[in-house]
Amino acid sequence: MQPSSPVDQRALAGVWQTFMQTGKLTRKQKELLDPTVLLSWQRCVPRLNPHATPRPSPVRDQALSSLLRTQNELITIATPIIEDIHQLIIGSGCAVFVVDGSACNLYMVGDAPAKNTVETFGLGQGSYWSEGQMGTNAAGVALVNAMPAYIVGAEHYYSAYHQLFSSAAPIHNLRGRILGAITICGPIEAASSYTLALTMSASLAISNQIQAEWSLQEANHRLSEVNTILSAISEGVLAWNFDGEIHHVNAQASSMLGLNPVSALGQPIDEIVELPELISKAIANNEELLNREVRFQINGRAVRSLVSLRAIKDTSGQSVGYIALLRPIEQVRQLVQQQAGSRAALTIDDVYGQTPAMRQVLRQSRMAARGTAPVLLRGEGGVGKNHLAQAIHNDGVHPSKPFLPINCHAIPHELMVS
């Protein structure tokens, strides 16, 4: 029934007796009964005998252990909350427990008399409080209707439970799915509307805690993804907040700058590494940098790097930190060499030469390849100057260096020297 509308238990017992005998109620009798209770009675009538002794079937020990492991998160979050509720109602003879979505009693606290009463009815841990097992009760009704329920005395379907009261409120996850319910049960003399308020407050607190746990797990998952990405990229990553405190250094940056990525976290960046003047000016002027060459001074040695500086902004567009992407100059040069030098694929042995003149050219080419002086190739268009230049380059002392062909005919004579 609704706690704001107290009902005389003697009148309510008469309503119960009439319904169980005839299956019908007068309009006046319906006004004495909560509509949710009447609907629950109607669901129970086809399958349950209201005068029989309820014999709930508890979960077997092995299945209960498995169920408790599955519902460990719900139990862990709910336990301190229902224990706090028990401290508020201690001495009332009431028990407080949490049930899962199928109305199975997962965990229960209460006074010794309350526990004994619950155990006497076979409703302890592992028992089901669903309508199919124990008829109309607060836990079963709350789970069916997805709303708080307060059942007192003769509102219970089974006559065996008419000396009890129960109140319950469902627990929801982020998507609104019911995970279980918080329930208070005790003798009818202890029935009070505040027990419903307690269960509602407790279910809301548990739902909020579940949401907080999910948000924390999701944040940790995203942070792990970001850290993995930052560790996988080839550039060094150095990030700090608006106050200058370092909050991320990946392995590449720590290797380049000689930093300990663990001890550097939370430290002022000015005390860990001396920022080049170009970066300091960009920060002071609220500017960003893209692939600018800078020089870091690390323990007396110069570390040259290409740096890209980006501001980290909040939802309002205000800068809250900076992130610098560092790429060693030597790494950039190696990439250029790999891309440009890949065009030189021929060697002198690949050049076909059977005539005396061509054999003389090949001998001169080998001599030129062993030297360090610049080589000038002259000849008419189409005779293969570019191919011979590749061969000399690859037979020389620096075949891994970039091969950059220059068409001198396309360069004005006055610019040739420069």
Side-chain angles (χ1 to χ4, degrees), residues 274-316:
E274 182 180 350
L275 293 177
E277 183 179 0
L278 182 64
I279 297 180
S280 299
K281 287 184 177 180
I283 294 175
N285 297 328
N286 197 26
E287 298 175 346
E288 296 185 344
L289 302 175
L290 178 62
N291 292 331
R292 299 292 297 274
E293 184 174 347
V294 298
R295 180 177 299 182
F296 292 90
Q297 293 295 331
I298 307 296
N299 297 326
R301 66 183 179 91
V303 177
R304 297 176 64 189
S305 169
L306 286 183
V307 62
S308 294
L309 181 69
R310 292 287 184 271
I312 303 173
K313 298 181 179 181
D314 59 16
T315 54
S316 63

Short mmCIF file of all heavy atoms in Angstrom, two decimals, residues 274-316:
data_model
loop_
_atom_site.label_atom_id
_atom_site.label_comp_id
_atom_site.label_asym_id
_atom_site.label_seq_id
_atom_site.Cartn_x
_atom_site.Cartn_y
_atom_site.Cartn_z
N GLU A 274 65.30 22.30 -19.71
CA GLU A 274 65.35 23.70 -20.12
C GLU A 274 64.73 23.83 -21.50
O GLU A 274 65.27 23.34 -22.49
CB GLU A 274 66.80 24.19 -20.15
CG GLU A 274 66.92 25.66 -20.53
CD GLU A 274 68.36 26.12 -20.55
OE1 GLU A 274 69.24 25.37 -20.09
OE2 GLU A 274 68.61 27.24 -21.03
N LEU A 275 63.58 24.50 -21.56
CA LEU A 275 62.90 24.64 -22.83
C LEU A 275 63.65 25.61 -23.74
O LEU A 275 64.11 26.67 -23.28
CB LEU A 275 61.47 25.15 -22.62
CG LEU A 275 60.49 24.21 -21.92
CD1 LEU A 275 59.14 24.89 -21.73
CD2 LEU A 275 60.32 22.93 -22.71
N PRO A 276 63.80 25.28 -25.02
CA PRO A 276 64.43 26.22 -25.96
C PRO A 276 63.65 27.53 -26.02
O PRO A 276 62.45 27.59 -25.75
CB PRO A 276 64.38 25.47 -27.30
CG PRO A 276 64.27 24.03 -26.92
CD PRO A 276 63.48 23.99 -25.66
N GLU A 277 64.35 28.60 -26.39
CA GLU A 277 63.75 29.92 -26.42
C GLU A 277 62.55 29.97 -27.37
O GLU A 277 61.56 30.65 -27.07
CB GLU A 277 64.80 30.95 -26.85
CG GLU A 277 64.28 32.38 -26.82
CD GLU A 277 65.35 33.38 -27.22
OE1 GLU A 277 66.48 32.94 -27.51
OE2 GLU A 277 65.04 34.59 -27.27
N LEU A 278 62.63 29.24 -28.48
CA LEU A 278 61.53 29.25 -29.44
C LEU A 278 60.24 28.74 -28.81
O LEU A 278 59.16 29.29 -29.02
CB LEU A 278 61.90 28.41 -30.66
CG LEU A 278 60.86 28.35 -31.78
CD1 LEU A 278 60.65 29.74 -32.38
CD2 LEU A 278 61.28 27.36 -32.86
N ILE A 279 60.34 27.67 -28.00
CA ILE A 279 59.15 27.11 -27.35
C ILE A 279 58.64 28.05 -26.27
O ILE A 279 57.43 28.28 -26.15
CB ILE A 279 59.47 25.72 -26.77
CG1 ILE A 279 59.84 24.74 -27.89
CG2 ILE A 279 58.29 25.19 -25.97
CD1 ILE A 279 60.19 23.35 -27.40
N SER A 280 59.56 28.63 -25.49
CA SER A 280 59.14 29.55 -24.43
C SER A 280 58.41 30.76 -24.99
O SER A 280 57.40 31.21 -24.44
CB SER A 280 60.37 29.99 -23.63
OG SER A 280 61.01 28.88 -23.02
N LYS A 281 58.92 31.30 -26.11
CA LYS A 281 58.25 32.44 -26.72
C LYS A 281 56.87 32.06 -27.25
O LYS A 281 55.91 32.83 -27.14
CB LYS A 281 59.11 33.00 -27.84
CG LYS A 281 60.34 33.76 -27.36
CD LYS A 281 61.08 34.37 -28.55
CE LYS A 281 62.27 35.21 -28.07
NZ LYS A 281 63.02 35.81 -29.20
N ALA A 282 56.78 30.88 -27.85
CA ALA A 282 55.49 30.44 -28.38
C ALA A 282 54.46 30.31 -27.26
O ALA A 282 53.29 30.69 -27.41
CB ALA A 282 55.65 29.12 -29.11
N ILE A 283 54.88 29.79 -26.10
CA ILE A 283 53.96 29.66 -24.96
C ILE A 283 53.56 31.03 -24.44
O ILE A 283 52.38 31.28 -24.15
CB ILE A 283 54.62 28.82 -23.85
CG1 ILE A 283 54.83 27.38 -24.33
CG2 ILE A 283 53.77 28.84 -22.59
CD1 ILE A 283 55.59 26.51 -23.35
N ALA A 284 54.53 31.94 -24.34
CA ALA A 284 54.24 33.27 -23.83
C ALA A 284 53.28 34.02 -24.75
O ALA A 284 52.43 34.80 -24.29
CB ALA A 284 55.54 34.07 -23.68
N ASN A 285 53.38 33.78 -26.06
CA ASN A 285 52.53 34.47 -27.03
C ASN A 285 51.28 33.67 -27.39
O ASN A 285 50.55 34.05 -28.31
CB ASN A 285 53.32 34.77 -28.30
CG ASN A 285 54.48 35.71 -28.05
OD1 ASN A 285 54.41 36.58 -27.17
ND2 ASN A 285 55.56 35.54 -28.80
N ASN A 286 51.08 32.54 -26.67
CA ASN A 286 49.93 31.68 -26.93
C ASN A 286 49.87 31.24 -28.39
O ASN A 286 48.82 31.25 -29.03
CB ASN A 286 48.62 32.39 -26.55
CG ASN A 286 47.46 31.43 -26.41
OD1 ASN A 286 47.65 30.23 -26.12
ND2 ASN A 286 46.25 31.91 -26.60
N GLU A 287 51.03 30.83 -28.91
CA GLU A 287 51.16 30.38 -30.29
C GLU A 287 51.45 28.88 -30.33
O GLU A 287 51.85 28.29 -29.33
CB GLU A 287 52.27 31.15 -31.01
CG GLU A 287 52.01 32.65 -31.11
CD GLU A 287 53.19 33.39 -31.73
OE1 GLU A 287 54.29 32.78 -31.83
OE2 GLU A 287 53.01 34.56 -32.08
N GLU A 288 51.28 28.31 -31.51
CA GLU A 288 51.60 26.90 -31.72
C GLU A 288 52.73 26.79 -32.73
O GLU A 288 52.96 27.71 -33.54
CB GLU A 288 50.37 26.12 -32.20
CG GLU A 288 49.26 26.08 -31.17
CD GLU A 288 48.09 25.21 -31.60
OE1 GLU A 288 48.01 24.88 -32.81
OE2 GLU A 288 47.27 24.85 -30.74
N LEU A 289 53.45 25.68 -32.68
CA LEU A 289 54.58 25.45 -33.58
C LEU A 289 54.33 24.18 -34.38
O LEU A 289 53.69 23.24 -33.91
CB LEU A 289 55.88 25.30 -32.78
CG LEU A 289 56.29 26.47 -31.88
CD1 LEU A 289 57.53 26.10 -31.07
CD2 LEU A 289 56.54 27.72 -32.71
N LEU A 290 54.87 24.15 -35.59
CA LEU A 290 54.75 22.98 -36.45
C LEU A 290 56.09 22.69 -37.09
O LEU A 290 56.60 23.49 -37.90
CB LEU A 290 53.68 23.20 -37.53
CG LEU A 290 53.50 22.04 -38.52
CD1 LEU A 290 53.04 20.78 -37.80
CD2 LEU A 290 52.50 22.42 -39.62
N ASN A 291 56.70 21.55 -36.69
CA ASN A 291 57.96 21.07 -37.26
C ASN A 291 59.02 22.16 -37.31
O ASN A 291 59.62 22.45 -38.35
CB ASN A 291 57.71 20.51 -38.67
CG ASN A 291 56.90 19.24 -38.66
OD1 ASN A 291 56.96 18.47 -37.70
ND2 ASN A 291 56.14 18.99 -39.72
N ARG A 292 59.26 22.77 -36.16
CA ARG A 292 60.32 23.79 -36.04
C ARG A 292 61.54 23.15 -35.39
O ARG A 292 61.42 22.41 -34.40
CB ARG A 292 59.82 24.97 -35.21
CG ARG A 292 58.63 25.68 -35.80
CD ARG A 292 58.98 26.41 -37.08
NE ARG A 292 59.96 27.45 -36.81
CZ ARG A 292 59.65 28.68 -36.41
NH1 ARG A 292 58.36 29.00 -36.24
NH2 ARG A 292 60.57 29.58 -36.20
N GLU A 293 62.70 23.47 -35.94
CA GLU A 293 63.94 22.88 -35.41
C GLU A 293 64.39 23.66 -34.17
O GLU A 293 64.48 24.89 -34.18
CB GLU A 293 65.04 22.91 -36.46
CG GLU A 293 66.33 22.23 -36.01
CD GLU A 293 67.37 22.14 -37.11
OE1 GLU A 293 67.02 22.38 -38.29
OE2 GLU A 293 68.53 21.82 -36.78
N VAL A 294 64.64 22.93 -33.09
CA VAL A 294 65.10 23.52 -31.84
C VAL A 294 66.26 22.69 -31.29
O VAL A 294 66.55 21.59 -31.78
CB VAL A 294 63.97 23.59 -30.79
CG1 VAL A 294 62.83 24.46 -31.25
CG2 VAL A 294 63.47 22.18 -30.46
N ARG A 295 66.90 23.23 -30.26
CA ARG A 295 68.03 22.54 -29.64
C ARG A 295 67.82 22.53 -28.13
O ARG A 295 67.71 23.58 -27.49
CB ARG A 295 69.34 23.23 -29.99
CG ARG A 295 70.57 22.57 -29.37
CD ARG A 295 71.84 23.24 -29.82
NE ARG A 295 71.99 23.17 -31.28
CZ ARG A 295 73.04 23.65 -31.93
NH1 ARG A 295 74.01 24.27 -31.26
NH2 ARG A 295 73.10 23.55 -33.24
N PHE A 296 67.72 21.33 -27.56
CA PHE A 296 67.64 21.16 -26.11
C PHE A 296 69.05 20.96 -25.54
O PHE A 296 69.88 20.28 -26.14
CB PHE A 296 66.79 19.93 -25.75
CG PHE A 296 65.33 20.07 -26.07
CD1 PHE A 296 64.83 19.68 -27.31
CD2 PHE A 296 64.45 20.60 -25.14
CE1 PHE A 296 63.49 19.80 -27.61
CE2 PHE A 296 63.10 20.73 -25.43
CZ PHE A 296 62.61 20.33 -26.67
N GLN A 297 69.28 21.59 -24.40
CA GLN A 297 70.54 21.37 -23.68
C GLN A 297 70.28 20.39 -22.55
O GLN A 297 69.60 20.69 -21.58
CB GLN A 297 71.08 22.69 -23.14
CG GLN A 297 71.53 23.68 -24.20
CD GLN A 297 72.73 23.17 -24.99
OE1 GLN A 297 73.55 22.39 -24.48
NE2 GLN A 297 72.82 23.59 -26.26
N ILE A 298 70.83 19.19 -22.69
CA ILE A 298 70.61 18.12 -21.72
C ILE A 298 71.95 17.68 -21.15
O ILE A 298 72.77 17.08 -21.84
CB ILE A 298 69.90 16.91 -22.35
CG1 ILE A 298 68.61 17.37 -23.08
CG2 ILE A 298 69.60 15.87 -21.31
CD1 ILE A 298 67.58 17.95 -22.18
N ASN A 299 72.19 18.04 -19.88
CA ASN A 299 73.42 17.63 -19.20
C ASN A 299 74.66 17.97 -20.01
O ASN A 299 75.59 17.16 -20.17
CB ASN A 299 73.40 16.13 -18.89
CG ASN A 299 72.28 15.75 -17.95
OD1 ASN A 299 71.91 16.52 -17.05
ND2 ASN A 299 71.71 14.56 -18.14
N GLY A 300 74.68 19.17 -20.53
CA GLY A 300 75.84 19.63 -21.26
C GLY A 300 75.91 19.19 -22.71
O GLY A 300 76.86 19.54 -23.41
N ARG A 301 74.96 18.44 -23.19
CA ARG A 301 74.95 18.02 -24.59
C ARG A 301 73.74 18.60 -25.29
O ARG A 301 72.69 18.82 -24.69
CB ARG A 301 74.95 16.49 -24.70
CG ARG A 301 73.70 15.82 -24.17
CD ARG A 301 73.81 14.30 -24.24
NE ARG A 301 72.61 13.65 -23.72
CZ ARG A 301 71.56 13.32 -24.45
NH1 ARG A 301 71.59 13.55 -25.76
NH2 ARG A 301 70.51 12.74 -23.91
N ALA A 302 73.93 18.87 -26.58
CA ALA A 302 72.86 19.46 -27.38
C ALA A 302 72.07 18.35 -28.07
O ALA A 302 72.66 17.45 -28.67
CB ALA A 302 73.44 20.43 -28.40
N VAL A 303 70.77 18.44 -27.97
CA VAL A 303 69.88 17.48 -28.63
C VAL A 303 69.02 18.28 -29.61
O VAL A 303 68.17 19.06 -29.21
CB VAL A 303 68.99 16.73 -27.62
CG1 VAL A 303 68.04 15.80 -28.35
CG2 VAL A 303 69.84 15.96 -26.63
N ARG A 304 69.28 18.07 -30.90
CA ARG A 304 68.52 18.78 -31.93
C ARG A 304 67.27 17.97 -32.28
O ARG A 304 67.31 16.75 -32.38
CB ARG A 304 69.39 18.99 -33.16
CG ARG A 304 70.61 19.87 -32.90
CD ARG A 304 71.47 19.97 -34.14
NE ARG A 304 70.76 20.63 -35.23
CZ ARG A 304 71.23 20.69 -36.47
NH1 ARG A 304 72.38 20.09 -36.78
NH2 ARG A 304 70.53 21.30 -37.40
N SER A 305 66.19 18.71 -32.47
CA SER A 305 64.92 18.03 -32.69
C SER A 305 63.98 18.93 -33.48
O SER A 305 64.09 20.15 -33.43
CB SER A 305 64.28 17.66 -31.35
OG SER A 305 62.95 17.22 -31.50
N LEU A 306 63.09 18.29 -34.23
CA LEU A 306 61.95 19.00 -34.79
C LEU A 306 60.82 18.93 -33.77
O LEU A 306 60.50 17.86 -33.26
CB LEU A 306 61.50 18.37 -36.10
CG LEU A 306 62.37 18.59 -37.34
CD1 LEU A 306 61.72 17.95 -38.55
CD2 LEU A 306 62.62 20.05 -37.59
N VAL A 307 60.21 20.06 -33.46
CA VAL A 307 59.18 20.09 -32.43
C VAL A 307 57.90 20.69 -32.99
O VAL A 307 57.93 21.64 -33.78
CB VAL A 307 59.66 20.90 -31.19
CG1 VAL A 307 59.93 22.34 -31.57
CG2 VAL A 307 58.62 20.84 -30.08
N SER A 308 56.78 20.08 -32.60
CA SER A 308 55.45 20.64 -32.87
C SER A 308 54.79 20.87 -31.52
O SER A 308 54.70 19.95 -30.70
CB SER A 308 54.61 19.69 -33.73
OG SER A 308 55.16 19.55 -35.02
N LEU A 309 54.35 22.08 -31.29
CA LEU A 309 53.75 22.46 -30.01
C LEU A 309 52.27 22.72 -30.20
O LEU A 309 51.87 23.46 -31.10
CB LEU A 309 54.43 23.71 -29.45
CG LEU A 309 53.93 24.22 -28.09
CD1 LEU A 309 54.31 23.24 -26.99
CD2 LEU A 309 54.49 25.61 -27.80
N ARG A 310 51.45 22.08 -29.37
CA ARG A 310 50.00 22.25 -29.44
C ARG A 310 49.47 22.61 -28.05
O ARG A 310 49.95 22.09 -27.04
CB ARG A 310 49.31 20.98 -29.92
CG ARG A 310 49.61 20.63 -31.37
CD ARG A 310 48.89 21.58 -32.31
NE ARG A 310 49.10 21.21 -33.70
CZ ARG A 310 50.11 21.64 -34.45
NH1 ARG A 310 51.01 22.45 -33.91
NH2 ARG A 310 50.22 21.28 -35.72
N ALA A 311 48.48 23.49 -28.03
CA ALA A 311 47.83 23.84 -26.77
C ALA A 311 46.69 22.86 -26.48
O ALA A 311 45.97 22.46 -27.39
CB ALA A 311 47.29 25.26 -26.83
N ILE A 312 46.57 22.46 -25.22
CA ILE A 312 45.46 21.61 -24.78
C ILE A 312 44.38 22.54 -24.23
O ILE A 312 44.64 23.32 -23.31
CB ILE A 312 45.92 20.63 -23.68
CG1 ILE A 312 47.08 19.77 -24.19
CG2 ILE A 312 44.76 19.74 -23.25
CD1 ILE A 312 47.69 18.89 -23.12
N LYS A 313 43.18 22.47 -24.81
CA LYS A 313 42.13 23.41 -24.44
C LYS A 313 40.93 22.69 -23.84
O LYS A 313 40.66 21.54 -24.17
CB LYS A 313 41.69 24.21 -25.67
CG LYS A 313 42.82 25.05 -26.27
CD LYS A 313 42.35 25.85 -27.47
CE LYS A 313 43.50 26.70 -28.05
NZ LYS A 313 43.07 27.51 -29.20
N ASP A 314 40.24 23.39 -22.96
CA ASP A 314 39.03 22.83 -22.35
C ASP A 314 37.83 23.12 -23.25
O ASP A 314 37.98 23.63 -24.37
CB ASP A 314 38.83 23.38 -20.94
CG ASP A 314 38.71 24.90 -20.92
OD1 ASP A 314 38.48 25.50 -22.00
OD2 ASP A 314 38.82 25.50 -19.84
N THR A 315 36.65 22.78 -22.77
CA THR A 315 35.45 22.94 -23.59
C THR A 315 35.14 24.40 -23.92
O THR A 315 34.47 24.68 -24.91
CB THR A 315 34.23 22.32 -22.87
OG1 THR A 315 34.12 22.89 -21.55
CG2 THR A 315 34.41 20.81 -22.73
N SER A 316 35.64 25.32 -23.10
CA SER A 316 35.41 26.74 -23.36
C SER A 316 36.46 27.35 -24.27
O SER A 316 36.38 28.54 -24.59
CB SER A 316 35.35 27.51 -22.04
OG SER A 316 36.61 27.44 -21.37
#
